[in-house]
Amino acid sequence: MTDVEDRKPQSDEARMAFTPPAGVEVGDSESETTSEFALPQGLGVPQAPVQEPEGSAFSTPRGYSVEDAPPAFTPAGGIPRISLTKDLPWQDRMRTMLRMPVAERPAPERMPKAEEEGPAVPRVLDLTLRIGELLLAGGEGAEDVEAAMFAVCRSYGLDRCEPNVTFTLLSISYQPSLVDDPVSAARTVRRRGTDYTRLAAVYQLVDDLSDPESHISLEEAYGRLAEIRRNRHPYPTWVLTGASGLLAGAASVLVGGDVIVFVAAMVGAMLGDRLAWLCAGRGLPEFYQFTVAAMPPAAMGVALTLAHVDVKASAVITGGLFALLPGRALVAGVQDGLTGFYITASARLLEVMYFFVGIVVGVLVILYFGVNLGAKLDPDAALNISERPYWQIGASMLLSLTFAVLLQQERSTVLAVTLNGGVAWSVYGALHYVGELSPVASTAVAAGLVGLFGQLMARYRFASALPYTTAAIGPLLPGSATYFGLLSIAQNKVDAGLVSLATAASLAMAIAIGVNLGSEISRLFLRIGSLEKRRAAKRTRGF
């Protein structure tokens, strides 16, 4: 073999890039090749710190005691010294603190409970959500529901809570400190009912929990809440049906009706109430219930006109509408909008619109057939409402009384709301008929007095203001403007009908804004601790 052949490689492996050159020592095994991500020799690997065992959401977190917890939320400028007068209603005190930043809220004073170490946080949050659900389902405003939820949490030492209320969803979160995990809970409101007796009982429970001298354990609070939910309505079904008829009859007298009109409106409203109960038992939505309930009063008015009975048929239909107009939901919706809860306000006003459309459909169907059958219904009758002050004041008080029964109010509040309704109509009549002021302005002033007196009476009894205001605005509801607007549309006078419906909407907004303004005016005279005035959210001004 020649020297050239000796220098020729035996295979391609002799020239591979991974072949170590001559003179370089190779390890015992090829498996010892290292990666660029491997740690170099001689470098120690740091040991992972021993982590603490994770706690459960159902165990009492560290720092549960607010008095012993570290000041994790201390602001840079220090915690301001704020004292809240204890003899004021808890609604005002909680509403004031809710409008403060979390870092500026004063810590609650030590309130000994039956449990030494305090109940588990999730159970407190669950009780809070259940109380908020009853208040929101009963028609309470979103701001008052949040204040009640915050009061319940604060009574058990959870001051760093953030309640949140929308139209159908309640949520609340609690964070003991910046280094602890937050605990959150939520609850959906699926059913709504009008029972102001139950609402007053829930307010009494929250008031007792907020009292530093009362020592109510969590189990006792759960027991009282269960009793509130189990309690039956104070008035049976037949009383509610009779109250609906009396309400319609009183409203018909309020707009100029006589005895025959009173009886006809009463019968029509009672038939409509029974039909609505039948639809509710079959599971139909409330839209159809309002549609069906609006038909019998309109049919009674059309029937009297076709029978050539010399009565004011428009008063019969108007009286039936008074029993259906959703004044309670309207006031709550406008109040939520004025206090900054725009999502809840939009949902409530949309609900009012659906109910109103249901009433419009039911009345328009009857009026359409009545006009085609030759019923001579006169839209100009709205201008010929007779002034009978004594009869109208009595009718307004009867209307407020029956409205209070329909709202399932406590018997102790019925007399006060009846007098409040009579005062509202007296003010409206004096301003509109005697002073010749516009109906919208007269309605706003009368509704403002209703809100003012209702708020003062509620503060006197440390209760909710709804039982004292909702029924009292009944005589001010725009039943006549609604009916005559629908009648004009049924007679193909669309422009006049839209104008009348716009007037009805203006009157409704005047009622809602007046009630809220009266409530706010009453709070201007209430002293809240060292705060000279209740803090309100700052809004933009056109930019």
Side-chain angles (χ1 to χ4, degrees), residues 2 58 80 170 201 207 210 214 250 262 266 285 289 312 340 344 359 379 392 396 398 404 427 439 446 478 514 517 533:
T2 63
F58 295 91
L170 298 167
D207 185 55
S210 303
S214 65
F262 180 91
M266 181 176 176
Q289 297 177 27
K312 199 171 184 178
T344 308
I359 297 171
Q392 289 175 330
S396 65
L398 178 60
V427 173
L517 181 61
K533 59 182 179 179

Side-chain angles (χ1 to χ4, degrees), residues 35-94:
S35 169
E36 59 179 318
F37 297 101
L39 293 173
Q41 295 181 359
L43 182 63
V45 181
Q47 299 294 328
V50 179
Q51 298 190 9
E52 299 179 0
E54 296 184 357
S56 172
F58 295 91
S59 61
T60 305
R62 299 188 311 275
Y64 172 80
S65 177
V66 180
E67 295 79 6
D68 302 331
F73 285 95
T74 304
I79 299 178
R81 182 178 181 84
I82 299 175
S83 62
L84 299 176
T85 305
K86 296 181 180 180
D87 57 351
L88 289 175
W90 58 264
Q91 300 99 308
D92 293 326
R93 289 186 279 117
M94 297 301 112

Side-chain angles (χ1 to χ4, degrees), residues 49-249:
V50 179
Q51 298 190 9
E52 299 179 0
E54 296 184 357
S56 172
F58 295 91
S59 61
T60 305
R62 299 188 311 275
Y64 172 80
S65 177
V66 180
E67 295 79 6
D68 302 331
F73 285 95
T74 304
I79 299 178
R81 182 178 181 84
I82 299 175
S83 62
L84 299 176
T85 305
K86 296 181 180 180
D87 57 351
L88 289 175
W90 58 264
Q91 300 99 308
D92 293 326
R93 289 186 279 117
M94 297 301 112
R95 195 181 289 112
T96 302
M97 284 187 285
L98 277 175
R99 294 187 176 184
M100 296 179 185
V102 177
E104 298 181 8
R105 293 175 184 170
E109 298 181 3
R110 183 178 297 275
M111 288 183 252
K113 301 291 180 181
E115 300 90 345
E116 292 296 333
E117 298 181 356
V121 172
R123 297 202 65 199
V124 176
L125 299 185
D126 178 70
L127 175 68
T128 303
L129 290 174
R130 291 177 183 273
I131 290 177
E133 178 190 10
L134 287 180
L135 293 176
L136 187 63
E140 191 62 80
E143 186 181 27
D144 292 325
V145 175
E146 281 195 359
M149 294 172 64
F150 188 71
V152 175
C153 286
R154 193 174 174 83
S155 66
Y156 287 102
L158 308 184
D159 65 323
R160 291 163 183 162
C161 287
E162 289 296 336
N164 188 19
V165 176
T166 58
F167 184 58
T168 57
L169 181 64
L170 298 167
S171 63
I172 189 170
S173 61
Y174 168 68
Q175 188 172 9
S177 65
L178 290 176
V179 297
D180 290 324
D181 295 332
V183 182
S184 300
R187 194 173 184 88
T188 303
V189 179
R190 303 189 183 276
R191 296 187 61 185
R192 299 179 182 274
T194 304
D195 190 343
Y196 282 1
T197 300
R198 179 179 296 176
L199 187 71
V202 176
Y203 258 76
Q204 184 61 46
L205 174 59
V206 177
D207 185 55
D208 293 341
L209 289 175
S210 303
D211 188 2
E213 298 181 358
S214 65
H215 310 305
I216 301 178
S217 65
L218 192 65
E219 298 301 328
E220 294 174 349
Y222 265 112
R224 289 183 56 177
L225 190 63
E227 292 180 0
I228 292 173
R229 298 183 68 95
R230 285 195 301 264
N231 285 343
R232 298 179 61 87
H233 299 306
Y235 307 104
T237 304
W238 64 270
V239 174
L240 299 180
T241 302
S244 178
L246 289 175
L247 190 153

Side-chain angles (χ1 to χ4, degrees), residues 411-436:
R411 292 178 174 86
S412 59
T413 64
V414 170
L415 178 60
V417 74
T418 301
L419 296 176
N420 202 7
V423 171
W425 181 261
S426 300
V427 173
Y428 171 80
L431 294 177
H432 179 55
Y433 295 115
V434 181
E436 297 182 354

Side-chain angles (χ1 to χ4, degrees), residues 415-464:
L415 178 60
V417 74
T418 301
L419 296 176
N420 202 7
V423 171
W425 181 261
S426 300
V427 173
Y428 171 80
L431 294 177
H432 179 55
Y433 295 115
V434 181
E436 297 182 354
L437 201 63
S438 67
V440 176
S442 303
T443 300
V445 174
L449 288 178
V450 168
L452 176 62
F453 294 155
Q455 195 67 234
L456 293 177
M457 285 187 286
R459 289 299 180 266
Y460 176 73
R461 298 193 59 181
F462 283 64
S464 172

